[in-house]
Amino acid sequence: MKKILITLFLGFSAFLNAQNKISGTITDKENQPIKGVSVFVSDIHKSSSTDEKGNFSINNLPLGNIKIAISALGFITQNKTIAVQSGENKLDLILEPTVFQMDEVIVATAFNKLQSQNVMKVEHESMKSLQQKGTSTLIEGLATIPGVSQVSTGTSIGKPVIRGLSGNRVLVYSQGVRMENQQFGDEHGLGLNDAGVESVEVIKGPASLLYGSDALGGVLYFNPEKFAKTNTFQGDFSQKLFSNTLGSNTSLGLKTSTENWKYLVRGSYNLHSDYKISDGNRVTNTRYNEQDFKTAIGYSNSLFSSVLRYNYNKLDLGIPENGIAEQSTNNNTEYPKQGVFNHLLSLNSTVFLKNSKLDIDLGYISNDRSEFVENAIANLHMRLKTLNYDLKYHLPKIGNVESIFGIQGMRQTNLNSGIEFLIPDAATNDFGVFGTANYEWKSNVFQAGIRFDNRNISSESHGIFGNEGSFEAINKSFNSINGSLGYKTNLTEKLTLRLNFASGFRAPNLAELTSNGVHEGTNRYEIGNSALKTEQNVQSDLNLEYKNSHFEFFANGFYNHINNYIYTNPSGLIIVGNDVFNYIQNNAKLYGGEIGLHFHPHPLDWLHFESSFEAVTGKKQNGDFLPLIPANIWNNSLRAEFNIKNWLKNGFATFNVSDTFNQNNVSEFETKSNGYTLVNFGIGGDLKFGKTAFNINLNGNNLLNKSYIAHLSRLKTDGIPNIGRNIVLGINFNI
């Protein structure tokens, strides 16, 4: 009897869960069914695909309005809002063909619109497209996006720069929560591995309305890989080899989904020796090793959806201090070096309330960073622990108006346990509240919002005042009110205009307020300033886009004014053999933009030509140039797409020429940089031999083995060139 009752109960539960279902048929303009169309409901992390007859179905949907993204290669992506009723729901669609890339749903903005519907211009790149460029690290791939560059230390350490702003002015989101990893340091890398990441979205400009302090310069939003389609099992294995660093990158992923439950696990391992410059010499101790592990479990039904994710990342990084010295292909790091352990735990949930919903994102990050000089005893050892919370209530839609009310906060502690102290033990508390609304009519969209934030930083005293590594206790509170205003319209059927005004802020970080010691990674003595004020900026952005079936053109322009811009300035003094740098403030302005085109000539449907130019200028109020401003870049690419009978599908071949111009607009303690031209090539596709199928990429970067020094390279002061020719072979098998 007991077994019968359990069976009836489970059957009744399954029956209730299956009540809300959507199904339909997807065809082209000739009424022919389209196989393999992706149908994705992001709120419940559930996806399906059409069969040979173009049919699909998704069960266990919440009642009320949900968004469904429908995408297929060669067709225009659709992002539909469907009012789900109890029982069966029908959705039949006709997809329009397109020769350009698929439109993408943007997650980093408030209302998850397609890029073509967005008020704000957001750059979207899939990890697959970045990896096809053959770059050895995630940040190198990001630096190929117009408006994005990097401050680098060899090939192992890279920090993102968005339109001339970096460090704590650029916020990084992973697994739906903000990353915190002592990002104030130039030699503190991104701390993320591209394995298990599906795509990245780049907001270029102040995003404080949605993200609070530290998003003054922009946001990098990394979307994790999707779960497997319902009732399927998927696995993949990938291997990449790098000729220059004799490196390898290995990744294995497994995932499966039922109607309600979803699981995935992925592990990867990176191993690189010292990188080689064009003359054949290697730059000593630029080697590094990386271990990365990701796992996730999700559950969804018609009432709520929840996903728990965990990411462990371990980095062993050599610090190049002796330039081109002992030559070795060993991949075991030498002293000085860094050891970084990062744990990221996130819980992303959505509660469905018929005509509204509540998003709840919780995150915990533990960042353990050590710097070793001569032995295994850490000279500098900092433990940063951060708890984030982010609640967004999507109010019921009123006519054409969508609105969101949100609360965000952070509790962060820093604890030292090394021989030396650069910053004191401290606690940081953030609290913010905001509201934003989106009004859409015909081809016009108007979006506005306002936000209030408070940040409190309190630190402990340490040491004897006046000595290295000593600190006085501080307790500082910073408040800010910010807003944004945006408008998007179609001037013609093919010409789109976006105009945005936004303010942003950044409270001084702990290093800027309190530093008193030698920063080993930068080889300088840094002295903080507890009197620093909040950075406050206002930026205007203008975007024009023209698209027809064979030609695309875009132009982005921006002007960014920052009050109380914080930067380091050499004092002319020397302490313990290191130049002394003080943190000071000055009003500043940055301006520039990106312009580009994509030409797809008819009838050569397999050929694409893309060209883009990016420029940024940064100045202080007195007319002097700001430090760490990237040089202007002109990028040109020719891409061919092809299939060869039944054994090569989605084939591609690319030829890229990247021209970096002279950088003569430098600050008083920088040197000018010469321009250079790099030539890159790539070829690949999906191969099939009998029943064996795999994806292969072969890339050659800096094919001409050009000797050059990037302006934002931290090895520039020692005259050390960037990496020489690098051949990258990547193979991916689906299990």
Side-chain angles (χ1 to χ4, degrees):
M1 184 66 182
K2 182 178 179 181
K3 291 183 178 179
I4 295 174
L5 290 174
I6 292 174
T7 302
L8 288 174
F9 175 78
L10 291 175
F12 182 65
S13 298
F15 172 77
L16 288 177
N17 275 331
Q19 288 301 296
N20 310 327
K21 173 183 177 181
I22 191 165
S23 61
T25 304
I26 299 178
T27 61
D28 60 19
K29 293 175 67 175
E30 280 71 42
N31 201 33
Q32 295 300 309
I34 308 174
K35 180 184 176 182
V37 178
S38 172
V39 183
F40 180 61
V41 184
S42 60
D43 282 338
I44 58 175
H45 306 276
K46 184 173 279 191
S47 62
S48 180
S49 60
T50 56
D51 59 19
E52 291 84 356
K53 297 180 180 180
N55 297 325
F56 75 93
S57 66
I58 300 179
N59 301 322
N60 301 338
L61 294 174
L63 292 173
N65 293 332
I66 63 167
K67 290 183 178 179
I68 301 180
I70 301 97
S71 59
L73 189 64
F75 294 90
I76 296 175
T77 299
Q78 297 190 28
N79 192 33
K80 294 286 186 181
T81 299
I82 307 299
V84 176
Q85 306 293 327
S86 179
E88 294 277 346
N89 296 263
K90 290 292 291 181
L91 179 64
D92 295 328
L93 292 172
I94 298 174
L95 297 188
E96 296 281 340
T98 179
V99 296
F100 288 115
Q101 293 179 350
M102 292 184 296
D103 203 359
E104 298 287 349
V105 176
I106 302 300
V107 179
T109 54
F111 298 97
N112 300 155
K113 303 283 187 180
L114 287 172
Q115 178 55 66
S116 58
Q117 301 170 323
N118 250 349
V119 170
M120 183 183 297
K121 173 66 175 177
V122 179
E123 301 290 347
H124 180 282
E125 284 278 356
S126 68
M127 284 301 110
K128 183 177 180 180
S129 67
L130 293 181
Q131 289 167 353
Q132 285 179 352
K133 298 175 183 179
T135 51
S136 59
T137 63
L138 176 59
I139 185 62
E140 284 182 18
L142 295 175
T144 63
I145 300 172
V148 182
S149 47
Q150 66 162 328
V151 176
S152 65
T153 307
T155 55
S156 60
I157 301 173
K159 294 189 67 65
V161 180
I162 299 179
R163 288 177 170 175
L165 297 177
S166 60
N168 278 94
R169 298 181 182 94
V170 173
L171 197 58
V172 175
Y173 260 61
S174 178
Q175 299 179 188
V177 297
R178 61 184 288 168
M179 285 285 296
E180 291 290 321
N181 63 354
Q182 306 282 13
Q183 58 262 39
F184 69 86
D186 288 345
E187 81 293 359
H188 298 171
L190 203 58
L192 285 175
N193 186 283
D194 59 2
V197 176
E198 182 177 271
S199 62
V200 61
E201 296 167 11
V202 184
I203 299 177
K204 295 182 287 191
S208 293
L209 177 70
L210 288 181
Y211 298 103
S213 181
D214 302 348
L216 176 142
V219 174
L220 292 173
Y221 196 100
F222 293 93
N223 294 307
E225 65 177 309
K226 293 184 177 72
F227 289 100
K229 291 181 174 63
T230 302
N231 297 322
T232 64
F233 172 84
Q234 294 174 244
D236 65 86
F237 173 80
S238 66
Q239 178 69 60
K240 288 195 290 186
L241 301 173
F242 306 84
S243 68
N244 186 286
T245 59
L246 303 178
S248 69
N249 182 337
T250 306
S251 178
L252 174 65
L254 303 170
K255 52 186 177 181
T256 186
S257 294
T258 66
E259 279 291 344
N260 298 104
W261 290 96
K262 310 161 187 69
Y263 312 89
L264 68 81
V265 62
R266 181 172 298 279
S268 63
Y269 185 62
N270 253 326
L271 195 66
H272 292 268
S273 62
D274 297 341
Y275 80 84
K276 185 165 57 175
I277 60 178
S278 61
D279 66 4
N281 284 310
R282 296 187 180 273
V283 182
T284 306
N285 208 28
T286 53
R287 64 201 70 171
Y288 67 99
N289 307 311
E290 180 183 24
Q291 300 172 30
D292 190 83
F293 173 78
K294 294 181 175 75
T295 188
I297 180 172
Y299 177 83
S300 65
N301 59 25
S302 60
L303 300 178
F304 76 96
S305 173
S306 191
V307 176
L308 179 68
R309 295 182 185 269
Y310 170 70
N311 178 205
Y312 169 74
N313 185 269
K314 177 185 176 183
L315 283 166
D316 181 21
L317 304 165
I319 298 176
E321 193 175 65
N322 299 317
I324 301 169
E326 179 185 351
Q327 296 295 289
S328 172
T329 57
N330 196 323
N331 48 44
N332 295 320
T333 57
E334 297 179 344
Y335 298 106
K337 65 179 181 178
Q338 288 188 61
V340 186
F341 301 86
N342 207 66
H343 300 268
L344 172 58
L345 185 68
S346 64
L347 179 63
N348 312 109
S349 303
T350 300
V351 180
F352 303 106
L353 305 169
K354 194 173 182 179
N355 293 321
S356 63
K357 66 177 182 178
L358 177 66
D359 291 332
I360 305 169
D361 296 318
L362 304 175
Y364 175 76
I365 303 97
S366 174
N367 178 259
D368 189 304
R369 181 178 297 274
S370 300
E371 293 183 2
F372 307 90
V373 177
E374 295 178 342
N375 51 49
I377 300 175
N379 287 58
L380 194 66
H381 188 186
M382 300 180 290
R383 294 188 178 96
L384 190 69
K385 297 181 179 181
T386 307
L387 178 65
N388 296 318
Y389 60 89
D390 186 347
L391 286 77
K392 296 188 184 75
Y393 177 57
H394 298 249
L395 282 74
K397 190 174 181 180
I398 303 174
N400 293 329
V401 178
E402 298 176 82
S403 52
I404 296 174
F405 174 78
I407 295 174
Q408 292 174 333
M410 179 181 79
R411 167 69 178 177
Q412 185 177 87
T413 59
N414 184 77
L415 180 67
N416 290 277
S417 58
I419 299 173
E420 301 175 358
F421 280 37
L422 175 63
I423 55 178
D425 295 346
T428 301
N429 290 283
D430 282 2
F431 176 78
V433 57
F434 72 92
T436 182
N438 189 85
Y439 175 56
E440 188 169 350
W441 74 104
K442 295 182 180 179
S443 64
N444 304 282
V445 186
F446 179 78
Q447 189 172 307
I450 191 168
R451 178 182 180 117
F452 168 78
D453 281 275
N454 171 264
R455 167 168 285 188
N456 180 266
I457 300 177
S458 60
S459 70
E460 300 178 9
S461 61
H462 175 77
I464 302 173
F465 180 70
N467 291 350
E468 179 186 355
S470 65
F471 310 96
E472 290 186 305
I474 65 168
N475 192 331
K476 308 283 290 186
S477 186
F478 304 92
N479 298 316
S480 185
I481 297 177
N482 293 277
S484 68
L485 194 63
Y487 176 66
K488 175 250 175 187
T489 187
N490 291 346
L491 299 175
T492 67
E493 183 183 353
K494 297 179 173 61
L495 182 62
T496 301
L497 177 142
R498 294 181 177 88
L499 182 61
N500 284 272
F501 299 93
S503 65
F505 84 106
R506 183 181 73 89
N509 62 47
L510 192 59
E512 293 164 340
L513 291 168
T514 64
S515 289
N516 182 27
V518 177
H519 197 167
E520 299 293 349
T522 60
N523 295 318
R524 65 191 186 196
Y525 195 104
E526 297 178 359
I527 298 178
N529 182 354
S530 61
L532 293 174
K533 300 177 182 179
T534 297
E535 290 185 341
Q536 188 75 47
N537 81 326
V538 177
Q539 179 167 312
S540 57
D541 284 271
L542 176 66
N543 166 247
L544 281 171
E545 286 184 343
Y546 176 83
K547 289 184 180 181
N548 63 27
S549 58
H550 295 284
F551 181 77
E552 177 181 355
F553 172 82
F554 71 87
N556 308 320
F558 75 95
Y559 181 85
N560 187 5
H561 180 84
I562 306 177
N563 287 327
N564 303 315
Y565 182 89
I566 302 171
Y567 60 100
T568 55
N569 195 59
S571 67
L573 301 176
I574 295 178
I575 297 180
V576 292
N578 292 275
D579 292 330
V580 176
F581 282 72
N582 296 317
Y583 284 98
I584 62 175
Q585 291 185 299
N586 202 322
N587 292 345
K589 60 182 178 182
L590 297 99
Y591 52 90
E594 305 89 35
I595 189 171
L597 60 86
H598 179 180
F599 179 50
H600 176 87
H602 184 72
L604 305 178
D605 295 336
W606 50 270
L607 187 63
H608 297 260
F609 173 70
E610 296 181 68
S611 181
S612 66
F613 178 79
E614 57 187 284
V616 59
T617 299
K619 290 185 176 182
K620 303 173 191 173
Q621 189 176 32
N622 61 8
D624 292 343
F625 291 105
L626 291 174
L628 299 178
I629 300 298
N632 299 342
I633 297 176
W634 184 24
N635 238 315
N636 292 280
S637 295
L638 198 64
R639 178 183 176 93
E641 298 174 347
F642 49 87
N643 295 316
I644 302 178
K645 295 184 178 180
N646 294 323
W647 62 274
L648 177 63
K649 293 185 177 180
N650 303 317
F652 73 91
T654 60
F655 181 76
N656 169 261
V657 178
S658 178
D659 290 296
T660 299
F661 292 72
N662 296 337
Q663 179 55 292
N664 297 320
N665 300 332
V666 296
S667 71
E668 63 270 25
F669 59 93
E670 287 183 311
T671 57
K672 297 179 180 180
S673 299
N674 295 324
Y676 49 89
T677 299
L678 301 180
V679 176
N680 310 298
F681 177 77
I683 189 168
D686 299 325
L687 292 173
K688 187 175 182 180
F689 295 102
K691 295 183 179 181
T692 303
F694 58 94
N695 176 271
I696 187 169
N697 293 317
L698 179 64
N699 296 83
N701 298 318
N702 191 6
L703 273 179
L704 303 182
N705 206 24
K706 175 75 174 180
S707 179
Y708 71 99
I709 301 177
H711 181 66
L712 298 187
S713 169
R714 293 183 59 252
L715 303 181
K716 175 190 171 187
T717 55
D718 297 320
I720 299 174
N722 287 67
I723 188 171
R725 183 187 297 114
N726 191 22
I727 307 299
V728 183
L729 174 64
I731 300 176
N732 182 81
F733 290 90
N734 288 324
I735 300 174

